[in-house]
């Protein structure tokens, strides 16, 4: 029998004591984390702080739709007062079968500044897709924010993956230095990329938000605050001079490359096609904001030659001016202003190649980095070759083709980087062509809407364009443009101008302005214009069929049958019913599109609450389809044309019947069958 010796009891006691000490140490280490975890839990229970998820259930439609979280930007902005919110574009929680879901990522240009709403390129694209694919559901969700840069692109790219994107459109880069977290921004985080990633992750915690709020209440010296008379542009700039190839300049390029690589790698691995637009900015019509100061000791003679060049320009002596600026540029070649003058003078000498080169230099040497340097476009192009699912959308080339001497200026860009309405339409066309080329868009079943048809039909009003103009005029009064006095007045006379001014300065909402225009147009019985307003509201509220129904009715009153048909088809897609189906097949038959009418007629027969006798209509419709097929072999057969006209007449489609009667009488004015039917049509 084994007996425990005395020293064994001592050993066990020592071991037990060591275990207790270890447990105490572990508890001591974990206790602060337990306290922090409990505090975090309590803050969440009492709904303190912000949920920074990218999407939230749409208020009022929580069971069906998601929408961009207006607090999502707070993860990236250190200063909550200047944080921005984006669009309110709903998309379904359960993606419809056959739906094509496209997310749009970027900054102020991508969201459509200064027009927003239907001025943005993605709304132009949506309008065109509505017309080219009226039976197909497209969800284009723009989650762009003003004042951000590639950090949000990287973050949002990861966050959208669970929501089944079919494609992602990206346009970003101009804010890389002064957007939130930018290398030259007041709203930046010092440290290496992993430190920044850690801080962004910590900002999701309610405890971190509480600490941030306490710090802001106490106040941090030197922290810019909104409402002190400065624009967001001015509030976010820390380094007004970032020379080319300086350390901050290189850091901005590196971070853009790293963030975009991170985003594209994630999307590439998920098999999501990405379409990235290269960047455009004004060159011809924008003198550089700030040129780097030139050291007179290191570069003697530069200032003298530069000033003499300016003096020669004032005298109108372009030859002497060019000589002086060339001499100055030979002494120091990285002066933005000098390169800009040489660009102008080269164009005057009809040397557009040299002019473009100088203007490119002027942009790249502008040390106030509100315009992305060309190196950013180089990075975009390189990334598109690195990732097989990333496709370059050459917006820059499109803008250059539509610009005088292929140098971009105010014919397409409003100030420094934001396109005008024509510019946004060109952006939309560039993305549309790229989507079509890569097979994201299915083949159009009907005649595709051309670019010119899109620009002619897009439901934009004078209020939209004027409101944008007023915003830009106000922007240019402030730093860094400083064009005009802040006390300058704008002459406002017409009601349209009054509404635009009210929208621009947030005295009324865009929706209220549209409703007032709608009321004015309906009182004047201008059904076409009223229909366009309803169509504009439908683009803004793409889950609401009522706007499309009203637009369809108004276009019908204006005898714009094609536009009415598109609106009712879009509404049917959202909320199918018998009346819409009946309206669609009637309009389609009036446009002589029996193949288009058939599925809606079949739906109406299957859901015939009004007990209408529609089977004879279907029989005549099938007869017309067979006759039209026979016509392809005998296009000049007047007998077949008469039979089509007669079938249309018997089904009650007098518009279609009249169309064919006129075709016959143009060929044979005394055709007995056509003349007989024509007389019958006159009696109806």
């Amino acid at each position: 029998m084994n007996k425990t010796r005395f020293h064994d009891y001592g050993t066990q006691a020592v071991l037990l004591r060591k275990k207790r000490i270890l447990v105490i140490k572990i508890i001591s280490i974990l206790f602060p984390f337990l306290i922090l975890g409990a505090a975090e839990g309590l803050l969440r229970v009492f709904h303190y702080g912000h949920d920074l998820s990218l999407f939230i259930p749409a208020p009022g439609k929580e069971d069906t739709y998601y929408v961009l979280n207006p607090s999502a930007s707070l993860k990236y902005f250190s200063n909550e007062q200047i944080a921005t919110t984006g669009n309110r574009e709903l998309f379904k929680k359960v993606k419809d079968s056959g739906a094509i879901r496209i997310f749009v990522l970027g900054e102020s240009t991508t969201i459509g500044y200064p027009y927003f709403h239907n001025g943005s390129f993605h709304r132009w694209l949506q309008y065109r897709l509505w017309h080219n694919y009226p039976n197909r559901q497209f969800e284009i969700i723009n989650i762009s924010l003003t004042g951000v840069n590639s950090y949000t692109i990287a973050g949002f790219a990861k966050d959208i993956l669970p929501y089944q994107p079919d494609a992602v459109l990206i346009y970003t880069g101009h804010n890389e230095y002064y957007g939130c977290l930018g290398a030259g921004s007041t709203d930046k985080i010092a440290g290496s990329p992993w430190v920044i990633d850690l801080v962004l992750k910590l900002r999701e915690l309610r405890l971190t938000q509480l600490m941030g709020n306490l710090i802001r209440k106490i106040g941090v010296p030197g922290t810019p605050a909104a409402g002190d008379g400065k624009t967001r542009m001015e509030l976010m700039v820390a380094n007004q001079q970032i020379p080319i190839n300086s350390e901050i300049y290189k850091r901005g390029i590196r971070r853009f490359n790293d963030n975009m690589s991170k985003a594209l790698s994630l999307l590439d691995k998920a098999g999501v096609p990405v379409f990235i637009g290269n960047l455009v900015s004004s060159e011809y019509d924008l003198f550089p904001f700030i040129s780097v100061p030139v050291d007179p000791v290191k570069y003697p003679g530069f200032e003298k030659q530069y000033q003499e060049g300016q003096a020669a320009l004032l005298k109108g002596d372009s030859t002497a001016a060019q000589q002086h600026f060339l001499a100055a540029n030979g002494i120091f070649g990285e002066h933005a202003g000098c390169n800009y003058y040489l660009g102008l003078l080269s164009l005057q000498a009809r040397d557009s190649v040299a002019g473009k080169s100088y203007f490119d230099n002027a942009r790249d040497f502008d040390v106030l980095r509100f315009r992305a340097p060309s190196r950013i476009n180089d990075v975009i192009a390189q990334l598109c070759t690195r990732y097989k699912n990333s496709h370059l959308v050459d917006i820059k080339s499109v803008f250059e083709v539509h610009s005088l001497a292929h140098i971009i200026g105010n014919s397409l860009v409003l100030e420094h980087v934001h396109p005008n309405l024509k510019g946004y339409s060109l952006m939309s066309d560039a993305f549309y062509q790229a989507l079509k080329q890569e097979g994201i868009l299915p083949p159009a079943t009907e005649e595709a809407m051309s670019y010119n048809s899109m620009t002619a039909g897009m439901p934009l009003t004078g209020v939209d364009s004027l409101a944008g103009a007023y915003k830009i005029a106000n922007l240019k009064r402030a730093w860094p443009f400083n064009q005009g006095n802040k006390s300058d007045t704008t002459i406002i006379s017409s009601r349209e101008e009054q509404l635009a001014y009210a929208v621009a300065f947030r005295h009324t909402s865009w929706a209220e302005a549209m409703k007032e225009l709608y009321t004015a147009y309906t009182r004047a019985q201008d059904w076409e214009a009223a229909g366009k307003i309803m169509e504009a509201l439908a683009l803004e509220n793409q889950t609401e069929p009522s706007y499309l129904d009203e637009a369809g009715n108004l276009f019908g009153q204006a005898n714009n049958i094609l536009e009415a048909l598109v609106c009712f088809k879009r509404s049917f897609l959202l909320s199918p019913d018998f009346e819409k189906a009946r309206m669609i097949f009637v309009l389609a038959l009036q446009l002589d599109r029996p193949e288009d009418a058939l599925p809606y007629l079949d739906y109406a027969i299957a859901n015939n609450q009004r007990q209408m006798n529609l089977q004879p209509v279907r029989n005549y419709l099938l007869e017309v389809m067979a006759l039209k097929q026979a016509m392809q072999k005998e296009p000049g057969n007047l007998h077949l044309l008469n039979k089509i006209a007669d079938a249309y007449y018997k089904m009650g489609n007098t518009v279609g019947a009249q169309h064919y009667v006129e075709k016959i009488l143009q060929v044979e004015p005394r055709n007995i069958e056509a003349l007989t039917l024509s007389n019958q049509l006159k009696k109806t």
Side-chain angles (χ1 to χ4, degrees):
M1 183 175 178
N2 293 326
K3 293 183 179 179
T4 304
R5 290 173 294 185
F6 179 77
H7 73 270
D8 288 335
Y9 286 113
T11 303
Q12 289 178 8
V14 169
L15 291 173
L16 184 61
R17 187 164 58 251
K18 286 182 177 179
K19 287 180 181 179
R20 286 175 179 172
I21 292 170
L22 180 61
V23 169
I24 291 170
K25 285 182 178 180
I26 291 172
I27 292 173
S28 300
I29 293 170
L30 293 179
F31 186 72
F33 293 100
L34 293 172
I35 293 295
L36 291 173
E40 176 72 17
L42 281 173
L43 290 172
R44 289 176 183 263
V45 166
F46 289 102
H47 304 291
Y48 178 84
H50 301 281
D51 173 10
L52 303 185
S53 303
L54 183 57
F55 299 112
I56 58 172
K61 297 185 177 183
E62 290 87 354
D63 295 336
T64 311
Y65 292 101
Y66 285 119
V67 71
L68 176 65
N69 182 358
S71 299
S73 66
L74 297 178
K75 180 176 178 178
Y76 301 92
F77 283 90
S78 303
N79 187 346
E80 189 173 329
Q81 290 180 297
I82 59 174
T84 58
T85 56
N87 284 351
R88 187 180 181 273
E89 295 180 334
L90 280 61
F91 65 99
K92 285 191 173 180
K93 285 187 167 183
V94 179
K95 185 179 174 182
D96 288 342
S97 175
I100 295 178
R101 180 172 290 174
I102 300 172
F103 287 101
V104 183
L105 281 65
E107 46 204 47
S108 58
T109 296
T110 324
I111 203 173
Y113 179 89
Y115 308 104
F116 302 107
H117 308 291
N118 296 330
S120 65
F121 88 84
H122 83 293
R123 289 283 174 81
W124 287 87
L125 177 61
Q126 182 79 68
Y127 179 75
R128 195 172 189 177
L129 295 176
W130 275 12
H131 286 73
N132 288 351
Y133 309 96
N135 302 317
R136 194 71 179 264
Q137 183 70 319
F138 287 89
E139 295 176 316
I140 304 184
I141 307 109
N142 194 329
I143 54 175
S144 306
L145 299 168
T146 57
V148 301
N149 57 23
S150 61
Y151 280 100
T152 60
I153 303 298
F156 287 5
K158 174 175 64 71
D159 293 341
I160 63 175
L161 286 176
Y163 298 93
Q164 300 174 278
D166 293 294
V168 175
L169 313 184
I170 299 175
Y171 184 87
T172 190
H174 283 307
N175 284 358
E176 204 53 37
Y177 290 96
Y178 300 134
C180 67
L181 304 177
S185 170
T186 55
D187 196 2
K188 62 178 179 287
I189 301 170
S192 60
W194 74 266
V195 172
I196 297 171
D197 290 341
L198 176 62
V199 171
L200 292 177
K201 194 66 182 174
L202 289 173
R203 283 180 179 176
E204 297 177 11
L205 299 175
R206 307 303 168 91
L207 269 173
T208 309
Q209 295 176 31
L210 174 62
M211 291 169 61
N213 290 336
L214 290 173
I215 291 170
R216 278 189 288 274
K217 284 183 180 179
I218 296 169
V220 178
T223 301
D228 63 357
K230 295 181 179 180
T231 64
R232 182 180 282 110
M233 288 178 74
E234 194 168 0
L235 287 170
M236 296 191 72
V237 174
N239 297 85
Q240 290 191 17
Q241 295 190 25
I242 304 176
I244 195 166
N245 294 323
S246 64
E247 182 50 42
I248 296 180
Y249 174 90
K250 292 177 182 177
R251 191 185 312 151
I253 301 297
R254 282 197 306 270
R255 288 184 177 179
F256 181 79
N257 181 74
D258 293 346
N259 288 330
M260 295 301 292
S261 294
K262 190 183 300 182
L264 298 183
S265 177
L266 285 168
L267 294 167
D268 192 70
K269 288 176 183 175
V272 179
V274 183
F275 298 83
I276 315 172
N278 54 13
L279 304 175
V280 298
S281 58
S282 182
E283 297 165 9
Y284 180 79
D285 292 298
L286 182 69
F287 191 83
F289 290 116
I290 301 177
S291 299
V292 65
V294 181
D295 186 342
V297 177
K298 193 173 181 181
Y299 302 102
F302 172 87
E303 193 62 33
K304 181 176 182 296
Q305 293 290 348
Y306 184 70
Q307 289 178 359
E308 288 181 357
Q310 288 178 312
L313 268 184
L314 288 173
K315 294 176 183 177
D317 189 347
S318 58
T319 302
Q322 188 170 35
Q323 290 173 350
H324 287 299
F325 287 127
L326 283 170
N329 200 52
I331 298 168
F332 179 73
E334 296 183 3
H335 190 273
C338 187
N339 275 274
Y340 181 83
Y341 285 130
L342 285 169
L344 287 179
L345 291 165
S346 295
L347 286 188
Q348 286 181 21
R350 299 188 178 181
D351 187 350
S352 59
V353 175
K356 180 167 176 44
S357 177
Y358 283 124
F359 281 122
D360 285 343
N361 288 340
R363 178 200 57 236
D364 286 354
F365 296 147
D366 188 345
V367 295
L368 185 59
R369 299 274 168 204
F370 280 124
R371 294 178 293 173
S374 56
R375 185 75 189 94
I376 293 286
N377 273 345
D378 294 339
V379 171
I380 291 171
Q382 290 162 9
L383 290 170
C384 288
T385 61
R386 189 185 309 168
Y387 299 101
K388 65 178 182 179
N389 283 316
S390 295
H391 310 284
L392 177 66
V393 182
D394 197 353
I395 295 170
K396 189 170 185 289
S397 291
V398 172
F399 272 52
E400 287 173 347
V401 166
H402 289 82
S403 300
L404 182 65
H406 301 297
I407 299 171
I408 301 168
N410 61 17
S411 65
L412 295 175
V413 178
L414 292 164
E415 13 69 323
H416 60 313
V417 296
H418 299 108
N420 57 21
L421 289 172
K422 183 179 179 181
Y424 279 121
S425 73
L426 289 172
M427 281 184 69
S428 79
D429 186 57
F431 277 106
Y432 173 80
Q433 299 300 338
L435 288 165
K436 191 166 69 170
Q437 181 177 330
E438 296 301 326
I440 304 301
L441 303 180
T445 55
E446 300 172 11
E447 186 178 349
M449 172 179 267
S450 67
Y451 170 77
N452 289 335
S453 296
M454 176 187 71
T455 56
M458 185 69 183
L460 289 163
T461 69
V463 168
D464 292 296
S465 57
L466 282 169
Y470 293 149
K471 288 177 187 176
I472 292 298
N474 188 57
L475 178 72
K476 286 185 174 181
R477 291 190 184 106
W479 181 90
F481 300 96
N482 299 318
Q483 295 178 10
N485 196 306
K486 290 188 177 182
S487 62
D488 290 346
T489 57
T490 302
I491 298 173
I492 307 293
S493 54
S494 70
R495 184 54 186 157
E496 190 177 59
E497 290 170 337
Q498 292 171 357
L499 281 174
Y501 191 86
V503 169
F505 295 99
R506 300 183 181 181
H507 301 149
T508 191
S509 69
W510 177 84
E512 287 301 317
M514 292 301 107
K515 289 175 183 177
E516 183 169 331
L517 285 178
Y518 169 76
T519 301
Y521 289 139
T522 52
R523 283 176 181 168
Q525 297 188 359
D526 188 344
W527 310 125
E528 182 77 18
K532 285 295 178 187
I533 297 298
M534 282 295 113
E535 203 170 36
L537 289 167
L539 278 167
E540 183 81 356
N541 304 276
Q542 295 186 28
T543 63
E544 299 294 336
S546 58
Y547 294 108
L548 289 162
D549 292 337
E550 183 63 16
N553 287 325
L554 289 163
F555 285 128
Q557 286 181 270
N559 203 33
N560 188 343
I561 305 303
L562 182 59
E563 204 65 23
L565 179 62
V566 169
C567 290
F568 282 121
K569 280 186 174 183
R570 300 306 308 179
S571 178
F572 183 88
L573 201 59
L574 292 172
S575 177
D577 64 37
F578 171 82
E579 287 300 329
K580 289 176 192 174
R582 187 175 72 87
M583 184 65 74
I584 291 167
F585 79 70
V586 167
L587 293 172
L589 289 171
Q590 288 181 3
L591 291 170
D592 190 28
R593 294 181 178 179
E595 297 86 355
D596 203 8
L598 183 59
Y600 295 97
L601 177 56
D602 286 342
Y603 178 92
I605 291 171
N607 299 272
N608 193 355
Q609 298 95 335
R610 291 177 56 182
Q611 301 300 311
M612 295 177 69
N613 185 15
L614 297 175
Q615 192 58 47
V617 176
R618 192 178 192 277
N619 294 337
Y620 284 123
L621 187 150
L622 293 174
E623 181 183 345
V624 169
M625 288 174 66
L627 289 166
K628 289 189 73 174
Q629 193 169 5
M631 281 289 300
Q632 292 178 2
K633 298 177 182 178
E634 302 178 71
N637 191 323
L638 298 185
H639 176 66
L640 292 175
L641 289 174
N642 269 309
K643 291 191 73 173
I644 294 173
D646 185 60
Y648 272 146
Y649 177 72
K650 288 176 179 176
M651 75 168 69
N653 180 14
T654 57
V655 174
Q658 184 65 43
H659 170 70
Y660 276 91
V661 165
E662 289 173 359
K663 285 178 71 173
I664 297 164
L665 293 176
Q666 283 177 358
V667 178
E668 190 178 296
R670 295 186 180 183
N671 186 284
I672 300 300
E673 290 179 86
L675 288 171
T676 301
L677 185 53
S678 179
N679 289 330
Q680 290 175 326
L681 287 167
K682 289 175 183 176
K683 295 176 183 178
T684 58

